């Protein structure tokens, strides 16, 4: 049972009360917290104090082990359906559930009040400067505020005395009038006025009592506020020193690894093994929620360090647009053929969005080191799911690339791979992509996009296969993408969903994995954005269960036994699997600060359109309309977009009239037939050699 101590002024009026919290904004009790897909919601003891919401497995753990802490000053509080609430802080969401609606409402009220107090305290701390006032000045300031409050309370008391005197005189006069003989109507009016005067007097007394209680609370907690503020300053100073020391250690370790990488290979593998075997007890998420973020030294002071990449772009302008005036004539049409203003876009091309699939390339690095093809399949499946994590808030469409447009991403220094994309067809829009990694894998894909507006939503259906081959084992994986749907196009808040199945096949060993992306349903009890899958060998024997969500996390659990359960739908028997403790495959990186004002770009996406020297003249970074949009000049960007599209239409008509086809052939890719007898575009080579020579004479002028 949650307990919240409240003090009511006397006399009591309905709805007139002020909270008097135990301690400093302290509120505690049991809530259910979502942990993972095997355990679901678990009961946790939550304590709200000093603007921080902490949780423990039991009340006894308060003395030694905190499972997680959520700062409410920067948290977003969202009330879900019955008894549910969601706290979002630092790019992480916490799903909580109360046992009753009343209990949920009490928690929401306490959290909102604590958030308001923490925000106010944070603003005061920010206004006081970096160093902050000395404790003596703080005490002097607090005493001054208390003195002012006491003075105002004296003024209120004087007013209350006058109200009491005049109210008493008014009541005596009304009583005398009531005793006089008169009509029944006048007597009723006098009674009504007398009752209102009584209520007025009670209300004024309650107001004074409430003010006095407020002053008492402020005075009693002033020392605690000072102590908490000083503690926060000391903690911040300690964290700054720790981060500085960690950065120096990271710099030294990175330099040592670069000088002799082979001596650290065994250490790296053992650390991964330890990480995969941890958490053998009950919880999976609780142990991770307070883990420190990775620190990367990008100072650029040493040639051995990675180059500094940008971490922000100009904020997105607030442009208004009548969506229906543009979309009403587009129902059922292919959106790639309809001129759209940049207001619908984000400042990235489709080629750059395709390159974003490499956000979690370290999953493929780990897979390349796997001896087991089944474990390798689990990591490949996690990689295929991770490519959708960047889309959860990205409802804007990328720029349609011009025919012959290219995009390169050279990350040899940081992550060991090079990526090149080219727009090989304009109608239908199709792109070819090739990635080679020095860490043991090659990826290539040819994707055609079909997008249709259906009135209430837009569906984006990708066609084509993604190929992945590992150099040491020769394992060759093939899969395709699922359908993306953007909802609430006309009315409501835009949101995106991924639905469908992904069948991953290892053409070398014939191992398979079917991933199911469950579509969102308002009436479903399933977790939103859920993904499940089973990894099977060539005989159809299941070895791993995969579960998670496409926007946050994927886990794998090794199957140790299976049995036939009760009948499922359509009279089929369900297979019940017994598994070991699940292990983490992939976890989404938190979004950068201020991401909501930067198109919700990830850390990688922020660098994709960063200008670089030596790229091909057809590179997406050099596209003028996209460049202007990123800078916030949307009107100028629309002018350039219309110019480029008109030039492309004229060029296409010219080719059709002259029957001149050679220029339509891709420059860096060529069409071949793969092992599935499907036509696909594969990299013919030559791009990186041309870049080394800076010989771009073959490139057309498309911008």
């Amino acid at each position: 049972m949650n307990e919240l101590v409240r003090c009511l002024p006397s006399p009591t009026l309905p709805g007139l009360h002020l909270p008097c919290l135990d301690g400093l904004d302290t509120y505690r009790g049991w809530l259910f917290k979502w942990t993972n897909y095997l355990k679901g919601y678990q009961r946790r003891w939550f304590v709200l104090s000093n603007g921080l919401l902490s949780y423990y497995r039991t009340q006894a753990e308060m003395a030694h082990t905190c499972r997680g802490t959520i700062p409410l000053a920067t948290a977003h509080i969202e009330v879900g359906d019955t008894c549910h609430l969601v706290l979002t802080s630092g790019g992480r969401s916490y799903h909580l559930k109360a046992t009753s609606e009343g209990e949920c409402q009490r928690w929401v009220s306490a959290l909102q009040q604590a958030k308001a107090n923490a925000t106010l305290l944070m603003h005061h701390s920010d206004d006081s400067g970096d160093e902050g006032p000395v404790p003596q000045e703080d005490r002097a300031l607090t005493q001054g505020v208390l003195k002012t409050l006491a003075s105002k309370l004296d003024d209120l008391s004087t007013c209350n005395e006058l109200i009491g005197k005049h109210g008493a005189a008014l009541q005596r006069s009304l009583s005398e009038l009531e005793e006089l003989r008169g009509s029944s109507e006048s007597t009723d009016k006098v009674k009504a006025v007398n009752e209102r005067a009584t209520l007025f007097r009670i209300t004024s007394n309650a107001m004074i009592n409430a003010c006095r209680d407020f002053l008492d609370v402020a005075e009693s907690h002033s020392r605690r506020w000072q102590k908490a503020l000083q503690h926060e300053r000391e903690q911040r100073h300690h964290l700054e020193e720790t981060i500085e020391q960690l950065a120096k250690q990271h710099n030294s370790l990175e330099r040592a690894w670069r000088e002799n990488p082979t001596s650290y290979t065994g250490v790296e593998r053992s650390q991964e093994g330890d990480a995969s075997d941890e958490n053998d007890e009950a919880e999976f998420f609780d142990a991770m929620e307070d883990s420190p973020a990775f620190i990367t030294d990008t100072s650029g002071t040493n040639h051995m360090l990675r180059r500094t990449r940008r971490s922000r772009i100009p904020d997105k302008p607030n442009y208004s647009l009548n969506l229906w005036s543009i979309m009403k004539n587009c129902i059922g049409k292919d959106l790639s053929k309809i001129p759209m203003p940049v207001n619908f876009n984000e400042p990235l091309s489709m080629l750059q969005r395709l390159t974003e699939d490499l956000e979690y390339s370290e999953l493929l690095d780990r897979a390349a080191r796997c001896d087991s093809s089944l474990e390798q399949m689990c990591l490949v499946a996690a990689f295929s799911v991770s490519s959708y994590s960047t889309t959860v808030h990205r409802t804007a469409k990328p720029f349609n690339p011009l025919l012959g447009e290219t995009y390169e991403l050279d990350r040899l220094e940081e992550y060991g791979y090079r990526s090149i994309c080219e727009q090989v067809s304009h109608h239908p829009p199709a792109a070819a992509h090739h990635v080679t990694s020095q860490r043991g894998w090659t990826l290539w894909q040819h994707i055609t996009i079909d997008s249709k507006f259906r009135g209430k939503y837009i569906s984006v259906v990708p066609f084509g296969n993604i190929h992945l081959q590992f150099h040491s084992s020769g394992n060759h994986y093939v899969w395709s993408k699922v359908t993306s749907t953007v909802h609430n196009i006309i009315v409501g808040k835009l949101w995106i969903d991924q639905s469908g199945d992904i069948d991953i096949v290892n053409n070398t060993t014939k191992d398979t994995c079917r991933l199911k992306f469950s579509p969102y349903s308002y009436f479903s009890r399933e977790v939103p954005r859920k993904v499940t899958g089973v990894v099977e060998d060539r005989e159809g024997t299941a070895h791993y269960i995969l579960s998670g969500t496409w926007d946050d996390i994927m886990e794998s659990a090794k199957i140790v036994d299976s049995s036939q359960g009760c009948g499922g739908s359509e009279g089929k028997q369900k297979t019940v699997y017994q598994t070991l403790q699940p292990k983490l495959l992939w976890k989404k990186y938190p979004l950068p600060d201020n991401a909501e004002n930067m198109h919700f770009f990830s850390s990688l996406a922020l660098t994709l359109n960063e200008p670089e020297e030596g790229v091909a003249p057809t590179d997406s970074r050099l596209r003028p309309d996209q460049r202007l949009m990123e800078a916030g000049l949307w009107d100028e960007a629309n002018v350039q977009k219309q110019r480029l599209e008109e030039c492309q239409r004229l060029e296409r008509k010219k080719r059709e009239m002259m029957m001149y086809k050679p220029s339509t052939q891709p420059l860096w890719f060529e069409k071949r037939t793969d092992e599935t007898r499907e036509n696909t575009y594969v990299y013919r080579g030559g791009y990186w050699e041309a870049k080394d020579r800076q010989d771009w004479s073959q490139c057309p002028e498309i911008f």
Side-chain angles (χ1 to χ4, degrees), residues 201-255:
R201 183 178 181 183
I202 293 174
T203 304
S204 63
N205 288 335
M207 178 189 68
I208 292 298
N209 290 334
C211 292
R212 183 175 290 107
D213 291 341
F214 172 76
L215 181 62
D216 292 340
V217 171
E219 188 172 9
S220 63
H221 292 303
S222 63
R223 294 182 179 177
R224 296 187 182 182
W225 291 338
Q226 293 295 335
K227 195 172 182 180
L229 183 60
Q230 184 63 24
H231 174 72
E232 290 298 327
R233 287 181 181 144
E234 292 174 356
Q235 287 292 98
R236 184 182 67 178
H237 181 67
H238 175 68
L239 285 174
E240 289 174 352
E241 291 180 344
T242 303
I243 290 173
E244 182 180 359
Q245 188 172 1
L246 284 174
K248 292 178 180 178
Q249 293 176 357
H250 178 84
N251 187 11
S252 302
L253 287 172
E254 186 180 51
R255 187 178 305 162

Side-chain angles (χ1 to χ4, degrees), residues 268-269 272 360-384 437 439-442 468-475 477 479 506 585:
E268 183 180 358
R269 285 176 178 267
E272 288 179 1
Y360 298 93
S361 62
E362 69 270 13
L363 290 172
L364 301 184
D365 298 341
R366 289 167 53 193
R369 300 193 297 266
C370 279
D371 297 326
S372 167
S373 62
L374 294 171
E375 292 180 4
Q376 191 176 71
M377 174 68 84
C378 293
L379 290 167
V380 172
F383 174 79
S384 68
S437 173
R439 300 179 182 176
W441 53 269
T442 299
L468 172 66
Q469 188 166 26
F470 292 99
H471 302 165
S472 60
S473 64
N475 287 337
Y477 296 85
W479 71 93
N506 184 342
L585 292 175

Side-chain angles (χ1 to χ4, degrees), residues 554-677:
M554 284 297 294
E555 300 172 344
S556 68
K558 186 175 178 60
I559 298 173
V560 293
D561 192 16
S562 63
S563 59
Q564 295 298 322
C566 58
S569 60
E570 302 179 358
K572 297 180 180 179
Q573 283 189 321
K574 291 184 178 180
T575 302
V576 179
Y577 296 109
Q578 182 180 351
T579 66
L580 298 178
Q581 188 75 11
K583 297 180 181 180
L584 178 68
L585 292 175
W586 160 75
K587 184 78 175 68
K588 181 185 176 182
Y589 299 143
L591 289 175
D593 294 337
N594 196 41
E596 65 276 7
N597 295 320
M598 298 187 295
H599 309 274
F600 285 100
F601 280 178
S602 65
S603 298
L604 174 63
L606 289 173
T607 68
L608 292 181
N609 206 42
E610 185 175 9
E612 289 194 14
E613 296 181 358
V615 298
T618 53
D619 196 275
S620 299
R621 298 176 181 86
L622 305 176
R623 182 167 173 162
D625 52 352
Q626 186 174 302
R627 192 94 257 154
L628 289 167
M629 184 198 176
E630 183 186 273
L633 304 174
W634 286 17
D635 293 334
E636 295 85 343
N638 276 316
V639 173
Q640 287 293 327
K641 186 173 185 292
Q642 293 175 9
R643 178 185 68 80
L644 291 174
E645 291 173 347
E646 184 62 29
C647 290
Q648 186 169 239
R649 283 191 288 268
L650 292 175
E651 185 66 24
R652 183 182 181 186
K653 289 180 180 178
K654 187 187 300 183
R655 288 196 302 268
E656 291 174 351
M657 292 176 63
M658 299 176 63
M659 299 299 292
Y660 181 62
K661 296 297 182 182
S663 63
T664 64
Q665 297 301 315
L667 190 57
W668 310 110
F669 290 81
E670 61 184 4
K671 184 179 289 188
R672 295 181 190 170
T673 302
D674 61 16
E675 61 272 12
T676 62
R677 297 183 179 180

Side-chain angles (χ1 to χ4, degrees), residues 103-176:
E103 183 182 3
C104 180
Q105 186 57 47
R106 287 192 292 272
W107 269 107
V108 171
S109 300
L111 290 170
Q112 289 175 341
Q113 183 62 44
K115 174 180 170 62
N117 294 342
T119 303
L120 182 62
L121 182 61
M122 183 177 67
H123 288 169
H124 283 316
S125 177
D126 292 342
D127 294 341
S128 64
D130 292 337
E131 296 296 330
V134 296
Q136 291 80 358
E137 294 178 355
D138 285 344
R139 285 195 291 271
L141 180 62
T142 304
Q143 293 299 327
V145 172
L146 292 175
K147 186 176 181 181
T148 303
L149 287 173
S151 175
K152 298 299 180 182
L153 183 60
D154 290 338
D155 295 340
L156 287 172
S157 298
T158 302
C159 294
N160 184 54
E161 291 177 2
L162 293 175
I163 290 173
K165 291 180 180 178
H166 294 306
L170 177 61
Q171 283 184 314
R172 284 196 300 271
S173 299
L174 290 172
S175 299
E176 293 173 357

Side-chain angles (χ1 to χ4, degrees), residues 2 30-34 41 78-86 94-108 111:
N2 297 319
W30 292 102
L31 285 174
F32 289 89
K33 174 184 173 293
W34 175 260
Y41 282 94
E78 181 180 355
V79 182
D81 53 4
T82 306
C83 303
H84 286 75
L85 60 147
V86 181
Y94 300 82
H95 296 264
L96 309 178
K97 183 172 66 173
T99 56
S100 66
E101 292 187 20
E103 183 182 3
C104 180
Q105 186 57 47
R106 287 192 292 272
W107 269 107
V108 171
L111 290 170

Side-chain angles (χ1 to χ4, degrees), residues 356-357 360 382-391 481 550 586:
E356 273 195 80
D357 288 357
Y360 298 93
F383 174 79
S384 68
V385 174
S386 69
S387 63
Y388 298 97
S389 63
T390 61
T391 67
K481 291 179 174 287
W550 54 261
W586 160 75

